[in-house]
Amino acid sequence: MKTLGILGGMSPASTATYYNLINQKINEIKGANTTAPIILYSVDFERIVACQKADDWQASGQILADMAVKLQSIGADGILLATNTMHKNAPQILASISVPFLHIVDAPAHAIKAQKIDKVALLGTQFVMEQDFYKDGLASFGIETITPNSDERADIHRIIFDELCVGQICENSKERYLQIIAKLKSQGAKGVILGCTEIGLLINQEDLDIPVFDTARLHADMAVDFILGA
């Protein structure tokens, strides 16, 4: 098996989800007591949040690129960044390493195309919903995205950072998300991307009657394929 380097800690809750999902699937496939060869580098999330608030993406990119180089130097055969938002810094990371980088946008994009869907709702942090880096990545696969209005985006973002990132699961927040998704469905969304790795802690496919593309789960599946050389 190949060794996977994970850039994690953004947040700890979703990093734990990645670690568990990857190991569960590896064990299902390989059996016995097999677990995945993983090197995890967990950043102080507050450093990243401070860069986000200061709109200093160059600084956050340098932090993550330095981490990726360290992971490569100690044996990682590939790098996975366990967060959607910080894929804004993917070009800086890619420029710093010579091993494969498992880009998170590719994971939902392939799943969406497999279901022959061309228009989806995109939920995530305000950075994901309002900036172009994520939407453009999906557009390169021919996938159109629609996002909530400004007030709804603010609610989604607040719930992610104030609740989900610190392990709080609130029923009223779940209801708010489902209300927003229902509105986007009425606007033509044929599926919904959970474009923040924490959102899957709050809602899942059982809650909705349109396809749900949980980026943490899909990215973890991509990681398993990489580890096994599939």
Side-chain angles (χ1 to χ4, degrees):
M1 293 188 287
K2 295 177 183 175
T3 298
L4 179 67
I6 297 180
L7 301 176
M10 300 163 280
S11 68
S14 62
T15 300
T17 297
Y18 270 91
Y19 185 83
N20 289 329
L21 287 172
I22 292 168
N23 276 295
Q24 286 167 8
K25 190 157 189 179
I26 289 288
N27 186 257
E28 288 172 5
I29 294 169
K30 301 287 284 185
N33 291 306
T34 309
T35 55
I38 289 172
I39 307 171
L40 172 63
Y41 195 136
S42 186
V43 68
D44 175 5
F45 191 27
E46 181 57 29
R47 292 181 66 198
I48 299 298
V49 172
C51 292
Q52 293 174 346
K53 290 178 178 177
D55 198 30
D56 193 350
W57 296 96
Q58 177 65 34
S60 62
Q62 191 61 56
I63 292 169
L64 296 175
D66 289 346
M67 289 168 60
V69 169
K70 288 179 181 178
L71 287 170
Q72 179 178 313
S73 73
I74 57 176
D77 297 310
I79 303 295
L80 178 146
L81 176 58
T83 164
N84 282 274
T85 297
M86 300 317 297
H87 274 73
K88 182 176 173 69
N89 288 136
Q92 281 175 268
I93 297 169
L94 279 163
S96 71
I97 58 175
S98 57
V99 295
F101 179 76
L102 282 62
H103 201 295
I104 199 167
V105 172
D106 293 346
H110 288 300
I112 292 164
K113 295 298 288 184
Q115 294 200 36
K116 303 186 186 306
I117 293 172
D118 57 7
K119 186 174 183 178
V120 294
L122 174 62
L123 305 187
T125 65
Q126 287 180 311
F127 310 111
V128 164
M129 293 184 290
E130 295 176 2
Q131 298 184 24
D132 291 333
F133 70 98
Y134 208 96
K135 297 173 186 176
D136 286 350
L138 292 165
S140 71
F141 287 86
I143 299 166
E144 179 186 355
T145 54
I146 57 175
T147 54
N149 65 36
S150 59
D151 289 341
E152 293 164 341
R153 293 195 302 269
D155 281 348
I156 291 169
H157 184 91
R158 175 189 55 77
I159 290 166
I160 290 169
F161 278 90
D162 293 352
E163 298 176 16
L164 301 180
C165 283
V166 294
Q168 294 180 13
I169 308 299
C170 301
E171 188 62 30
N172 61 336
S173 295
K174 178 175 181 173
E175 291 174 2
R176 177 62 171 150
Y177 269 58
L178 295 177
Q179 177 189 57
I180 292 168
I181 293 168
K183 182 177 175 182
L184 293 168
K185 178 185 173 184
S186 73
Q187 295 171 1
K190 302 170 186 174
V192 56
I193 297 177
L194 308 187
C196 173
T197 50
E198 283 80 18
I199 297 177
L201 301 170
L202 189 65
I203 57 175
N204 56 49
Q205 184 63 73
E206 294 179 357
D207 299 311
L208 294 159
D209 60 358
I210 58 174
V212 172
F213 301 97
D214 184 335
T215 52
R217 289 184 173 276
L218 293 167
H219 206 198
D221 287 345
M222 178 189 284
V224 170
D225 288 344
F226 174 80
I227 290 167
L228 297 177

